[in-house]
Amino acid sequence: MYIPAAKDKKYQWEEYTLLVPTVSVGNVGQLTADLIISTLWMDRIGYIMHEAITPAIGNNPFAHADATACKLTSCCEVYESAATQVMVIQQRAPLIKGRVHSYVKWLSEWIREKKFRQVVIVGSTFSHERLDYQMEGSPYRIVQSKPMKERMGDFFSEMMGWKDLEPRPSLIDMPADSGDGQSNKGINTRALYMPGSGIAKPLLEAIQDMPVLVFLMFCSEGDNAQDAIGLAQQLNGWMNLISKKEERRGSELSTDVARGIVDWKIPTSWKHFYGTHFDQTLFH
Amino acid sequence: MATFYGEVLPVISRAVDDEEEDDESVSLECDPFLHWSGRIRNNLLHQPNGKLTCNILVVAIGPAAVGFTDILIKHGDYHLVGGIFSGLRDGDQQSLSQKLPTDKTCYIYRSNEDASTFICLCNMDVAVEQCHAWVNQLFSDFDAEDAYVVVLNTLHSSKFTSEVPTSDLPLPIIRGLKTNKFAGTPLCPVLEQPNLVTGLAAQVMTYCQANGLRAALYQCYTNARRLVDVPTIKAFMPVLESTPVRDIIRPNPEAEQQMRDIVALHEVQDTLYL
């Protein structure tokens, strides 16, 4: 269930874009969400509690490095930026096996109930599963729902240079013109092959009658911070969340900043990403 | 596909493991259940909202936290009122008659002096799949809107990440977290980033945070075997001066000896180095 942080605050959910990172290869979607939440100084507006979510808590992952106050953060929370009309669901632990479908069902019903303007599902997929022709060029791929395609036309391919995820029909698929009316109902999700992308595909299937964009990146497990920065840059190119000239609250205090097209503020929770330095006493 | 006579294959291909199709059939009916004593069940029937008023709830998870709470908080006048049972493993106890501090039980006690003070001693591993239901069960019969909740938990020091190497840390150490509604600060350093707490303690705190309850977590990191020894139990001492615990404790002159007895009992059960 969704529990709002402030009971009396109301939101015009229909005006917001919802970003849903999935737990996927290298956690790239979640790292991208971290960057966006951190740089935009988004407010936490609610909590998602569901039996499928592994419990996890910690101190505020977006606090300043020297902050000593305690602000409890739980595993799955909703953040909001009124200035950019974006909401983000940030999830910090995997879903419990056997309950993924019930979570996707609840999430899709909640998204539908709130009637978001559009939904962007952000994730990654195994780069070792690429076919030869996918190995060249951009590692980014998109899948659009029909309403999104109708709304945006060729914008993503012409202006952003994003490629549609190449379909990968399996041997058991019916031919496209089988006349069963599937092309009228929605996109052919059976032909979409997104290994390692978590709930991206089932969620897309559940809400494909809304404007949905699935944004994927081919990657492998490793140091995925740069992948997340790249993905965030791409999204920013379309959504214009952060511009260089904009005055951002806390920009003078920011220490960890990734230089590039946009100054992304690296959250303090990214400290010791791959563990701390080894213990010297091991070699005494 | 080709298979031997009588074999029924639920998959399309042996070679490809499609995780999404496995997912739906895996889930077990494994929710824990809360069993109250007869007296409490009767109490609940006579309450106007069908719930027990709870102003103080102490949840101790793990042998060191349970030992500390038993010796220094619960040693006053408390009676057993219920238990939460999971029944997942063969060795799981399903009755309210286990008495040893080393038994894998999860019992709830109520103070004889103040009927709104409860202590939950959880000495068993609650599986991650059960945490959500476990916490919902615990709070379902409590009217805890004005309650203070204190959670005590223990983890191995290898789970603690900091710039200081583990060998230089003065173990055991204690760290705290609190919900927004809890006005004070924990009487120990706040848990630094990027450390996370998972499991039952995390689920209790998440519930409290989302539902606007006042709660504080005291997390002890130790390198004791089986996560229990006398220094680890004593690491929770700052809790005795915290709100609300300082209002409900009474001194226990035999605390030191009882701590040694509990640790000795746990060591006897440890057959790793016979």
Side-chain angles (χ1 to χ4, degrees), chain B residues 27-50:
Chain B
S27 65
L28 304 162
E29 285 311 308
C30 59
D31 278 355
F33 62 94
L34 197 163
H35 175 74
W36 290 115
S37 66
R39 202 165 113 188
I40 295 291
R41 284 201 297 273
N42 204 29
N43 256 165
L44 282 168
L45 287 172
H46 292 101
Q47 295 299 319
N49 56 2

Side-chain angles (χ1 to χ4, degrees), chain A residues 20-33 89-95 100 103 120-128 139 141 193-203 214-225 227-228 231 273-274, chain B residues 19-20:
Chain A
V20 185
T22 61
V23 181
S24 47
V25 180
N27 302 108
V28 175
Q30 296 155 283
L31 294 175
T32 307
I89 297 178
Q90 179 59 305
Q91 186 179 336
R92 302 191 175 277
L95 297 173
V100 175
Y103 179 70
V120 182
I121 302 171
V122 183
S124 51
T125 178
F126 283 116
S127 58
H128 66 257
R141 293 291 186 276
Y193 187 56
M194 306 192 245
S197 62
I199 62 168
K201 189 167 154 183
L203 185 56
V214 180
F215 194 94
L216 294 172
M217 179 180 183
F218 290 121
C219 70
S220 306
E221 293 277 349
D223 185 348
N224 299 104
D227 295 332
L231 212 158
F273 217 50
Y274 296 99
Chain B
E19 285 174 24
E20 289 137 44

Side-chain angles (χ1 to χ4, degrees), chain A residues 3 44 47 49-51 54-57 59-61 70 72 74 96 98-101 269 271-272 276 279 281, chain B residues 20 23-24 27 128-129 132 162-163 167 177-178 180 190-191 193-194 196-199 202-203 205-206 209-210:
Chain A
I3 302 177
R44 175 181 59 198
Y47 311 91
M49 294 192 62
H50 192 276
E51 55 173 9
T54 309
I57 53 166
N59 201 354
N60 185 6
C70 178
L72 194 72
S74 60
I96 292 170
R99 298 185 182 164
V100 175
H101 281 270
S269 57
K271 212 167 49 171
H272 305 310
T276 50
D279 190 344
T281 56
Chain B
E20 289 137 44
D23 213 70
E24 273 181 299
S27 65
V128 71
E129 298 89 348
H132 188 265
S162 78
E163 275 116 11
S167 55
L177 282 172
K178 68 169 190 77
N180 288 1
V190 172
L191 185 64
Q193 279 292 337
L196 281 183
V197 176
T198 58
Q203 187 65 37
M205 292 299 286
T206 303
Q209 170 76 359

